[in-house]
Amino acid sequence: IGRKPKADNVSGLLGDVSLKDEILNHQGECLKGFVLRIGIDNFKEINENKGMEYGDMVLRRTAECIQAVTDREQMIYRIVADEFVVLDFEGVYEDGIKLYKRIRERIDLFIEENGYEVFYTISAGILDLSKIPGQSYDNLMKLSEFALSKSKELGKNTCYTYVKGDYQEFLQKKELIRVMRQAVKNNFDGFETYYQPIIDINNNRLTGAETLLRFHTEETGMISPGEFIPLLEESGLIIPVGRWVLHQAMAACSRIQKIIPDFRVSVNVSYIQVLKSDMLNEIKEAAVTYGLPKGSVVMELTESGFLESDANFISFCDGLKDNGIPLALDDFGTGYSNFHYLYNLSPDTIKIDRSFTLKALNSSYEYGLLRHMVEMTHSIKLKLCIEGIETKDELDKICEINPDYIQGFYFGRPSPLGTFMKEYVEKKETE
């Protein structure tokens, strides 16, 4: 194998078979140096916009840019369609970082010489071979693929150096997704819905509850929603799990309404559900199944998940309104386009996040803002719920600005349905 391979499929680079042979030739040695895996960002878009021939030209010129700045002892390979590997057993991994910067500069020069007809960037992942214990071909390819993916995840157009801790976290996430997928297959075993009281502050009575999802395994115990819910969205499992949560919440609401007729249950909706499932019809059909009157189920959209609000979301929200299904905009005040969403999504209620509440409780300026927010909300005929109230002093101070609803640990922590019924529903009936 030559150090600078001659003509092959893309500007003279050898493929992954030759790369495997080179690594196998060094099997048993304690390798030093680095593996630099380079990928063209959004290459698919170049093919789609400019055609396959143009895409092939970009691949060739990228290969030439890499060749132009590598040293003689560095071996270059083309592996997957738009990915390249530079192998160096002589230098140190810092040389790989410098090499990535030289390649990027060379590509920028090509783009300029090409009249900016197409603009693209490259990402890279680098392995410091002196810190990789398993130096087999399969392990190096697996870890370099992770490193490249990580650089793209971090925003692209950058070089990420492999860190064992990051990879272990990645494996843990994969394992958690596997466990949750199995749980879904096993009739949602391990998933559970909890309910947190929502209090009507005008008459100090229980008016509803927010449905919150929990997940636990025998090995790990309860897993934080902040950890598993993003993975549900990433894997698409949020669609079947979200449907299950909806049915659990509606069944609970039907049961509670036998004691508190005007009780309402809130259910969080993921943007993935809106985009990739027939969420509106699922809500309507479930309401019929459980015999719930209109207005019994409030759908909560988290503002941070809808930064790219488009026709899909607006259509979904319009459909809710047309069918008498209340909409609450959650975490109001933590995003970037609050009033934009009030206009486009037309919610019935806005909910103030605990982080905003804390600021208001500790700053006269923020407290004034919250007061004006309540006044503005009421002026346009909306309701406002303040979350995160934990003490009597906090409650008294927040009540001075006249919100409609209060939610927080002061009134009750999220609990399983049986506990919620006993502590908040059946107890009220006997009082």
Side-chain angles (χ1 to χ4, degrees):
I1 297 176
R3 292 306 183 193
K4 288 285 187 112
K6 294 186 178 178
D8 196 340
N9 52 348
V10 176
S11 195
L13 304 193
L14 298 182
D16 54 348
V17 175
S18 299
L19 174 59
K20 185 174 184 178
D21 289 341
E22 183 68 18
I23 293 173
L24 288 174
N25 287 341
H26 290 78
Q27 203 74 50
E29 299 178 25
C30 186
L31 300 177
K32 64 175 185 176
F34 63 85
V35 174
L36 180 68
R37 186 162 181 161
I38 303 161
I40 299 175
D41 297 327
N42 304 318
F43 181 69
K44 183 181 177 183
E45 293 181 9
I46 296 175
N47 276 335
E48 289 175 348
N49 296 331
K50 293 287 189 176
M52 298 288 285
E53 279 191 29
Y54 196 94
D56 288 343
M57 183 274 290
V58 168
L59 284 173
R60 286 194 302 273
R61 295 301 299 271
T62 300
E64 290 167 5
C65 289
I66 296 172
Q67 284 182 308
V69 295
T70 48
D71 297 329
R72 181 158 183 79
E73 68 274 6
Q74 294 169 338
M75 295 162 282
I76 315 163
Y77 304 86
R78 182 197 181 199
I79 46 174
V80 187
D82 59 342
E83 294 180 15
F84 305 86
V85 165
V86 178
L87 195 59
D88 187 333
F89 294 141
E90 304 292 331
V92 293
Y93 95 96
E94 288 88 353
D95 295 332
I97 295 174
K98 293 174 184 176
L99 174 60
Y100 166 74
K101 291 178 180 177
R102 292 200 302 271
I103 294 169
R104 217 170 69 172
E105 290 169 359
R106 194 78 179 200
I107 288 173
D108 289 344
L109 183 59
F110 154 63
I111 291 170
E112 183 179 349
E113 291 171 346
N114 195 43
Y116 294 95
E117 187 171 339
V118 64
F119 180 85
Y120 68 96
T121 57
I122 58 167
S123 296
I126 187 169
L127 307 182
D128 180 352
L129 289 175
S130 67
K131 296 181 180 178
I132 307 295
Q135 296 182 337
S136 68
Y137 169 79
D138 288 340
N139 193 46
L140 292 179
M141 289 302 97
K142 177 177 64 178
L143 297 184
S144 66
E145 181 180 13
F146 164 76
L148 175 57
S149 296
K150 189 72 174 177
S151 71
K152 290 178 180 286
E153 179 186 317
L154 292 171
K156 304 177 182 177
N157 196 30
T158 188
C159 182
Y160 165 83
T161 301
Y162 168 81
V163 176
K164 183 179 179 181
D166 290 346
Y167 186 62
Q168 292 300 320
E169 183 180 334
F170 165 74
L171 292 179
Q172 288 169 6
K173 288 181 178 179
K174 282 186 66 176
E175 174 61 14
L176 182 52
I177 289 174
R178 186 196 67 79
V179 170
M180 291 193 296
R181 184 170 282 113
Q182 192 62 38
V184 170
K185 289 181 181 178
N186 292 335
N187 199 30
F188 301 93
D189 181 38
F191 288 103
E192 191 173 6
T193 49
Y194 277 41
Y195 301 87
Q196 185 175 29
I198 298 174
I199 304 299
D200 186 333
I201 206 63
N202 295 309
N203 51 32
N204 197 35
R205 63 183 287 269
L206 178 71
T207 188
E210 179 178 358
T211 310
L212 299 163
L213 181 62
R214 299 291 184 260
F215 183 69
H216 56 85
T217 70
E218 291 183 5
E219 296 80 13
T220 63
M222 195 71 77
I223 298 172
S224 165
E227 182 178 352
F228 75 81
I229 288 179
L231 297 182
L232 286 176
E233 294 179 333
E234 177 184 316
S235 64
L237 289 172
I238 193 66
I239 292 175
V241 173
R243 187 181 301 119
W244 177 83
V245 169
L246 180 67
H247 281 262
Q248 294 292 306
M250 288 195 175
C253 187
S254 178
R255 179 177 169 183
I256 295 170
Q257 282 186 350
K258 291 179 173 59
I259 300 171
I260 306 174
D262 60 350
F263 185 86
R264 304 199 307 176
V265 67
S266 297
V267 180
N268 291 283
V269 183
S270 164
Y271 69 100
I272 298 293
Q273 291 172 273
V274 176
L275 285 177
K276 297 186 177 181
S277 69
D278 191 3
M279 192 66 196
L280 181 60
N281 278 327
E282 288 175 7
I283 297 167
K284 290 159 56 180
E285 290 169 4
V288 171
T289 298
Y290 296 100
L292 295 175
K294 283 187 177 182
S296 298
V297 182
V298 180
M299 307 313 299
E300 289 196 12
L301 305 182
T302 300
E303 180 190 358
S304 56
F306 291 84
L307 289 180
E308 296 301 327
S309 178
D310 63 12
N312 288 309
F313 299 114
I314 295 172
S315 175
F316 173 70
C317 294
D318 287 345
L320 292 178
K321 189 167 290 292
D322 291 343
N323 287 276
I325 303 168
L327 168 67
L329 189 59
D330 201 6
D331 293 348
F332 192 82
T334 61
Y336 301 96
S337 307
N338 302 302
F339 295 102
H340 167 74
Y341 288 114
L342 288 181
Y343 175 78
N344 272 350
L345 305 183
S346 301
D348 301 275
T349 304
I350 62 175
K351 300 185 74 175
I352 303 299
D353 179 74
R354 165 71 178 169
S355 61
F356 195 103
T357 303
L358 274 177
K359 291 177 183 177
L361 290 167
N362 293 288
S363 163
S364 58
Y365 176 76
E366 300 283 354
Y367 186 78
L369 283 180
L370 185 55
R371 180 191 296 276
H372 288 307
M373 193 176 293
V374 173
E375 293 170 354
M376 179 272 295
T377 300
H378 289 161
S379 72
I380 55 176
K381 308 295 189 241
L382 303 185
K383 301 287 188 180
L384 185 137
C385 177
I386 294 184
E387 299 179 293
I389 300 302
E390 298 185 357
T391 69
K392 180 67 164 59
D393 287 344
E394 290 179 354
L395 176 65
D396 290 342
K397 188 168 183 178
I398 288 299
C399 283
E400 291 177 9
I401 58 178
N402 299 316
D404 300 284
Y405 308 114
I406 297 286
Q407 185 177 340
F409 291 171
Y410 178 75
F411 293 103
R413 293 176 178 269
S415 59
L417 180 60
T419 303
F420 183 85
M421 293 292 296
K422 182 179 178 181
E423 294 295 323
Y424 306 108
V425 180
E426 293 164 358
K427 179 188 277 189
K428 296 294 182 186
E429 186 182 29
T430 60
E431 290 179 354

